[in-house]
Amino acid sequence: MTGTMKVSVKNILVALSAAFFVLSGAFQTPAAEQPMPALDTEGTCAIQPLHVSVHDPSVILDQDGTCYLFGSHTAIASSKDLIQWEQISSDYGNGRQVPIYGDLDKLLKIPFRWAGRDDGDAAGGYAVWTPDIFWNEQYRWEDGTKGAYMLYLCTSSTWTRSVISFCVAKKLTGPYTFASLIVYSGFTKNGKPDGNSTRSTKWDQDILNLKELKDKDVIDEISDNWFTKDGGWNFRYAPNAIDPNVFFDKDHRRMYLSYGSWSGGIFLLELDPETGLAIYPGVDSTDRESGNFVDRYFGIHLAGGGHAYGEGPYIKYDPESGFYHLFITYGGLASDGGYNMRLFRSRHVSGPYLDAAGRNAADNAYDPDDYGIKLIGNYKFTGQVGVRSAGHNSQLIDSTGNRYLIYHQRFDVKPQLEAHEVRVHQQFLNEDGWPVTAVYEYRGEKPSLYSKSEIVGHYEMVCSGTETSSDMLPTLLLTLNADGSVEGSKTGTWTMSDSGKGYHNLTMKLGNTVYKGLFFRQHTENKDPNAVMTFSAIGDDNTSLWGSRIAPSNRELTLEAAASFIRNTLPKVTSDDLVLPSEVIGCRIRWSSNLENVLNHEGHVCPVQEKTKVTLTAVLSLGGETRTEMIKIRVRPE
């Protein structure tokens, strides 16, 4: 995927989603981010989630405890409990009467002069993306009063020409008024139009702020780094001005904007808390804390560059861990794009942001998959809908330290659709202080201290790997034994210990990788009323593990999981003997072959002169119940 896809998919494909998955005052100051209600920890959970469609969700908690999500295409949703959501606004709809925004043509008239309205990839419509909703008690109004809801957003016409601006309101629900522009991208010296647009891209037009900043000596001249030799836009160095994220530092004194996508990567720009305006560095330099380069206009470079993928930056300070956490989403946002969230952290707001393997996000321009903890891949647990392209997240940390990762995801369905929904998963700090993401979506559960007998058993497991890929991850089978050993698709050891936070820490060693996380009884996403034991862990190799226990009493699911495992692990083509297991997670397996002289029931392959189709039949049995699985394999000549 290239940066161009960012525009076309967001502006066209995403609008399909609502047809498939959407189900459904006087606030002067927000409350502290209050705790979400705990509903049920052990038994059945009566509340079923109601899902909504909000792409690139940005979360904010209002003073009455209502949680709002603002997303691309002016989609908005709300919830009282993070479980049952209500759709307030779907993608665009009537652009003249958008809930909370009002009339887009009037509200965003100024940024639309540069990008995002009936131009380029937004021809015939709008490209209003990735708003970040933010409460700033330090904002000063003209009448001297303080405190504003600030809505930073971007408008875009091509994969390079964009602008970030912001609007303000005294109530979260509006009305919002346009405040100012922050940063532009896609400007040139030669003025040539980009994409299928006819607009001039010359940098010194009055519709941009560059000439004014130069004339007022706010920035030191126009940088040659921004342009190619022929005067075009140097997208490999400079960012695309999209995906804004606004936050305070740990002392709640200084305010920052992280932003960027593909192109030159992710940047950090300081903002004035009283005005919301940018504090441009003015001159190029090197950041003292991180060693990263500083651009006079765009700010401090944090990650990416060279047009490597990486977008949707989100930075939040975690007071318990003492780290700033930087989330970035890799890959393409479509169902076949391999979208996946990565995690870095730093003691300083400007970096360096490092991953679990100690690699610096600033170095990930050319081999990004080697950098960042991969949180979630494409996966499917037995009996549940497969998940694809989970990404572009925000995070809520409430007043009691509860953490929630909020993102959108697509689904592995046939025919493949671009429909998406919001998901909310809890997070918990592991022994190394990394926020580990729970396996299943939030249903009000809280983890507890469990006996070993509740934990030992057979688990379906997915390992995120580090690759950005459209492939579905293999579903593995592991057995956690009471003696601390791990058997199955991988072997190793596991231990549990009291975290002192109301849950058990998990340490698991598989091969040379050490994983740290927790055990957590949760409800699955297939409407089963009974909770299951899960484990989540982050490895020192930047991979993540998710495990979901198969209840011994659920023979049907056990048989299905065992059948799925052998179906997905046996090769499609072979010239070598196969290992046909006689038992998988307690299920006995009896094999037969329709061509014993080519590939027999013991897995032995006889030489063939040409490719030959063989059907292996596995009869799985468990406690008197059986399941038959037929697997087609091509035997090829040696």
Side-chain angles (χ1 to χ4, degrees), residues 121-193:
D121 294 314
Y126 304 91
V128 180
W129 295 347
T130 60
D132 193 37
I133 182 69
F134 180 75
W135 168 256
N136 175 14
E137 71 275 10
Q138 298 182 42
Y139 184 84
R140 185 180 296 275
W141 295 86
E142 289 184 1
D143 61 6
T145 58
K146 300 185 75 173
Y149 288 95
M150 309 186 75
L151 188 61
Y152 285 78
L153 49 79
C154 59
T155 59
S156 184
S157 286
T158 70
W159 60 275
T160 57
R161 181 160 50 87
S162 310
V163 58
I164 293 173
S165 57
F166 72 99
C167 306
V168 292
K170 292 190 175 183
K171 301 176 184 178
L172 189 149
T173 53
Y176 283 85
T177 58
F178 182 78
S180 186
L181 300 156
I182 298 294
V183 61
Y184 292 83
S185 66
F187 47 84
T188 66
K189 280 186 178 180
N190 58 33
K192 289 183 179 179

Side-chain angles (χ1 to χ4, degrees), residues 231-496:
W233 172 248
N234 185 5
F235 64 85
R236 296 189 181 277
Y237 167 85
N240 190 6
I242 66 173
D243 295 355
N245 156 234
V246 183
F247 64 98
F248 278 112
D249 70 353
K250 64 181 180 181
D251 298 319
H252 213 76
R253 294 178 181 175
R254 301 176 72 173
M255 185 168 146
Y256 292 90
L257 166 74
S258 70
Y259 70 100
S261 167
W262 293 62
S263 298
I266 307 303
F267 283 74
L268 183 73
L269 193 58
E270 188 169 0
L271 305 176
D272 183 337
E274 290 197 354
T275 65
L277 300 175
I279 302 174
Y280 302 101
V283 296
D284 294 349
S285 64
T286 300
D287 180 63
R288 182 178 60 186
E289 297 291 353
S290 65
N292 296 346
F293 76 82
V294 180
D295 181 88
R296 66 193 71 181
Y297 179 62
F298 297 113
I300 302 170
H301 176 261
L302 297 182
H307 200 53
Y309 47 62
E311 62 186 30
Y314 190 87
I315 297 177
K316 196 173 189 70
Y317 179 71
D318 190 314
E320 183 179 348
S321 71
F323 284 99
Y324 293 92
H325 290 127
L326 166 62
F327 298 87
I328 303 175
T329 299
Y330 287 4
L333 57 84
S335 60
D336 62 355
Y339 225 36
N340 67 97
M341 294 167 284
R342 302 288 175 132
L343 177 62
F344 303 84
R345 69 184 182 185
S346 174
R347 294 288 186 188
H348 303 283
V349 67
S350 60
Y353 283 90
L354 307 180
D355 60 26
R359 299 188 182 107
N360 190 339
D363 300 329
N364 74 342
Y366 298 102
D367 296 300
D369 282 359
D370 292 335
Y371 296 80
I373 299 168
K374 184 180 177 184
L375 299 185
I376 303 173
N378 296 344
Y379 68 94
K380 183 182 187 306
F381 286 116
T382 300
Q384 301 179 52
V385 175
V387 169
R388 288 183 172 273
S389 295
H392 201 126
N393 67 283
S394 57
Q395 186 193 44
L396 175 66
I397 302 179
D398 70 21
S399 60
T400 62
N402 295 322
R403 297 168 185 81
Y404 304 89
L405 183 72
I406 301 170
Y407 57 92
H408 71 260
Q409 69 181 27
R410 288 176 166 81
F411 303 89
D412 186 46
V413 294
K414 294 180 181 180
Q416 187 62 62
L417 305 173
E418 293 306 321
H420 57 82
E421 290 179 349
V422 171
R423 284 298 184 271
V424 179
H425 286 232
Q426 293 184 81
Q427 292 186 309
F428 306 90
L429 294 185
N430 69 7
E431 282 187 293
D432 292 337
W434 288 106
V436 175
T437 306
V439 175
Y440 293 115
E441 66 177 314
Y442 177 62
R443 295 273 296 277
E445 311 101 326
K446 299 297 177 186
S448 183
L449 296 174
Y450 309 108
S451 66
K452 183 171 284 189
S453 63
E454 294 177 278
I455 290 173
V456 297
H458 304 306
Y459 287 78
E460 284 192 290
M461 187 192 78
V462 290
C463 177
S464 68
T466 59
E467 184 181 7
T468 295
S469 171
S470 62
D471 295 338
M472 296 294 287
L473 293 167
T475 303
L476 308 176
L477 292 177
L478 288 188
T479 299
L480 304 189
N481 295 316
D483 64 0
S485 62
V486 178
E487 297 178 321
S489 301
K490 295 181 181 290
T491 59
T493 60
W494 71 277
T495 60
M496 57 189 289

Side-chain angles (χ1 to χ4, degrees), residues 114 186-193 200-205 208 210 214 221-234 296:
W114 177 247
F187 47 84
T188 66
K189 280 186 178 180
N190 58 33
K192 289 183 179 179
S200 170
T201 58
K202 195 82 182 317
W203 71 269
D204 59 357
Q205 299 176 75
L208 286 84
L210 292 160
K214 174 181 173 295
E221 298 298 328
I222 300 303
S223 174
D224 290 336
N225 292 327
W226 302 341
F227 309 106
T228 59
K229 290 182 179 180
D230 65 354
W233 172 248
N234 185 5
R296 66 193 71 181

